[in-house]
């Protein structure tokens, strides 16, 4: 049989790469045209307006690099490619943007990079090496908008609306689903909570969920047969809760919000009120070991109380952190919400506020970012919504899930990111460095560092429930670590 001409394996791979590019461009809503003659450019893309479907007379040149084997240094995260000098000179000499599309046609994977962006200066052009991030540089339908931005002339006056993105925004507003049906009020001779509390204790009584305002006592409890009866000066009145909840009078709204706040504060036995900080925070556990709470939708729970080892003495607990919450009740569009604002509390022994609590709080606020705030907000929402257990009475105020809203506008998160290290003016960079030094110095006085506080912000993203950097807990105790209370007790025993 006479010898026949054959097609090389690389030819098939190259054609499959071109076919993959064409298919991906169609998925994006653009048109790809392969070239009959290839001199370093395999084809071009005609860009199309995603709204009107109008051809924009804007083009991108494309060079395909298809392989059935791994690229140089390829891992699950990326790879690199060294360009031929003649190809690079050719791509950079034209007046149209050129993109390189790297692909594995058999697995239908493709990634892209724009040549001018990859080689912005003489140093990078001399190296001829381009780095590809496989997570952020995928050549698929999500790249359509980026291609439009790339081809748009800098001097054009044409504006293309971004492709519609529907997003669900989660707020920090927890709706009140249920509340007691009746509000009771009565005149009272007491004008301060201290005096009223002393009067209750004198009768051997305790009661929660009440407020004083303008010589009136208000509560969801029936004042006629409640321990609060001793505070009343006259017969209590009954009012429908809706009268207060739906009132347009601002003073009535403020009183009702205060009553809701006091009632909720007293409904969770694991929380205590910090009068000076104006927040609720988790109590210390009886054995001072870490505690995790807030497991539920969107959160695996977080370390709401945990010890932190001293930086200067690894055998001693330097401070304890308590998850805290500032809450505010407000009515929006006829619905009452509890606005959640996560906060932090720091103690030396689980009870006494740390002498450098302000420095620790200032440090953590400087390190706080959106993911941490979102995580703590979900933790508090899950905790406040939890059902009462066998040892707890049904809570008078019941909450729903965090309020959300769907919007028909959004931003592709992939276009957000940190600025390049050299992008900021030198003065700003020096200021940031000085700020970091001042933060480190402030935390050093409190016997800790920024890494420890970062561990607190990130706690809850794993299954341990305690900050990642340090986890004293029971293991710390078994290793002979001293808590502040243990240290005092040992000193007292030695003194005796």
């Amino acid at each position: 049989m006479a010898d026949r001409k054959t097609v090389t394996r690389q030819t098939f791979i190259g054609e499959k790469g071109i076919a993959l590019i064409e298919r991906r461009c169609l998925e994006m809503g653009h048109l790809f045209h392969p070239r009959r003659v290839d001199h370093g450019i395999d084809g071009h893309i005609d860009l199309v307006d995603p709204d009107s479907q109008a051809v924009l007379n804007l083009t991108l040149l494309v060079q395909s690099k298809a392989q059935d084997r791994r690229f140089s240094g390829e891992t699950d995260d990326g790879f690199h490619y060294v360009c031929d000098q003649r190809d690079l000179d050719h791509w950079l000499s034209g007046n149209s943007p050129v993109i390189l599309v790297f692909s594995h046609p058999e697995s239908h994977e493709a990634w892209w990079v724009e040549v001018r962006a990859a080689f912005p200066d003489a140093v990078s052009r001399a190296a001829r090496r381009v780095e590809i991030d496989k997570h952020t540089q995928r050549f698929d339908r999500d790249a359509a908008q980026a291609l439009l931005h790339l081809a748009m002339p800098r001097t054009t006056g044409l504006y293309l609306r971004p492709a519609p993105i529907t997003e669900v925004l989660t707020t920090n507003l927890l709706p009140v689903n249920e509340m007691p049906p009746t509000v009771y009020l009565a005149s009272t001779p007491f004008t301060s909570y201290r005096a009223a509390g002393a009067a209750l204790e004198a009768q051997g009584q305790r009661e929660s969920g009440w407020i004083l305002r303008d010589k009136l006592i208000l509560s969801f409890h029936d004042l006629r047969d409640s321990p609060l009866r001793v505070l009343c000066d006259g017969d209590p009145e009954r009012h429908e809760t809706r009268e207060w909840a739906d009132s347009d009078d601002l003073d009535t709204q403020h009183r009702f919000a205060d009553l809701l706040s006091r009632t909720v504060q007293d409904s969770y036995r694991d929380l205590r009120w910090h009068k000076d900080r104006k927040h609720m925070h988790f109590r210390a556990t009886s054995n001072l070991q870490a505690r995790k709470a807030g497991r539920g939708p969107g959160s695996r729970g977080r370390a709401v109380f945990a010890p932190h080892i001293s930086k200067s003495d690894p055998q001693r607990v330097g401070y304890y952190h308590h998850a805290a919450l500032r809450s505010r009740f407000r009515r929006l569009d006829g619905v009452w919400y509890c606005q959640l604002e996560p906060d932090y509390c720091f103690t030396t022994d689980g009870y006494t506020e740390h002498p450098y609590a302000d420095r620790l709080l200032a440090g953590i606020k400087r390190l706080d970012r959106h993911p941490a705030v979102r995580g703590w907000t979900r933790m508090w929402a899950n905790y406040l919504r939890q059902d009462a257990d066998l040892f707890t009475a049904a809570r008078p105020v019941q909450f729903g899930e965090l309020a959300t809203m769907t919007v028909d506008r959004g931003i592709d998160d992939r276009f957000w990111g940190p600025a390049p290290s050299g992008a900021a003016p030198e003065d700003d960079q020096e200021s940031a460095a000085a700020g970091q030094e001042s933060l480190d110095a402030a935390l050093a006085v409190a016997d800790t560092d920024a890494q420890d506080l970062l561990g607190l912000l990130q706690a809850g993203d794993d299954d341990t429930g305690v900050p990642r950097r340090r986890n004293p807990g029971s293991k710390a105790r078994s290793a002979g670590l001293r808590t502040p209370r243990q240290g005092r007790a040992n000193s007292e025993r030695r003194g005796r």
Side-chain angles (χ1 to χ4, degrees), residues 168-245:
V168 177
L169 305 181
T170 301
T171 72
N172 65 337
L173 300 175
L174 203 60
V176 177
N177 282 3
E178 295 183 24
M179 60 183 76
T182 306
V183 175
Y184 297 85
L185 70 149
S187 59
T188 179
F190 298 97
T191 57
S192 72
Y193 287 100
R194 180 186 295 273
L200 280 172
E201 291 181 2
Q203 299 292 325
Q205 303 285 351
R206 293 182 64 87
E207 188 60 285
S208 60
W210 51 278
I211 65 170
L212 295 176
R213 184 73 69 89
D214 300 329
K215 291 190 176 182
L216 290 175
I217 178 171
L218 294 87
S219 177
F220 288 123
H221 298 295
D222 189 343
L223 298 178
R224 297 169 299 182
D225 54 8
S226 164
L228 296 173
R229 186 71 179 88
V230 300
L231 304 181
C232 299
D233 183 17
D235 294 331
E237 299 178 9
R238 297 180 55 188
H239 293 264
E240 294 294 325
T241 297
R242 298 313 314 178
E243 295 179 16
W244 289 70

Side-chain angles (χ1 to χ4, degrees), residues 265-318:
Q265 290 169 19
D266 296 326
S267 299
Y268 297 83
R269 55 193 176 97
D270 294 324
L271 303 180
R272 65 181 292 203
W273 174 253
H274 195 303
K275 181 179 178 181
D276 296 330
R277 299 286 181 181
K278 304 298 183 185
H279 68 210
M280 300 182 288
H281 65 254
F282 277 88
R283 299 178 184 273
T285 55
S286 59
N287 55 8
L288 295 182
Q289 293 186 16
R291 181 193 173 191
K292 191 174 182 179
R295 185 183 299 272
S299 175
R300 291 184 291 177
R302 288 183 167 247
V304 296
F305 171 77
H308 293 249
I309 300 303
S310 166
K311 182 181 178 182
S312 61
D313 181 4
Q315 296 298 313
R316 181 175 62 84
V317 173

Side-chain angles (χ1 to χ4, degrees), residues 386-419:
Q386 68 180 344
D387 296 329
D389 54 33
L390 295 176
F391 306 99
T392 307
R395 297 187 178 90
V397 178
Q398 302 285 329
F399 296 103
E401 297 183 358
L402 284 171
T404 61
M405 62 183 70
T406 301
V407 296
D408 59 0
R409 295 291 185 274
I411 297 176
D412 192 330
D413 291 339
R414 295 173 304 165
F415 291 108
W416 290 92

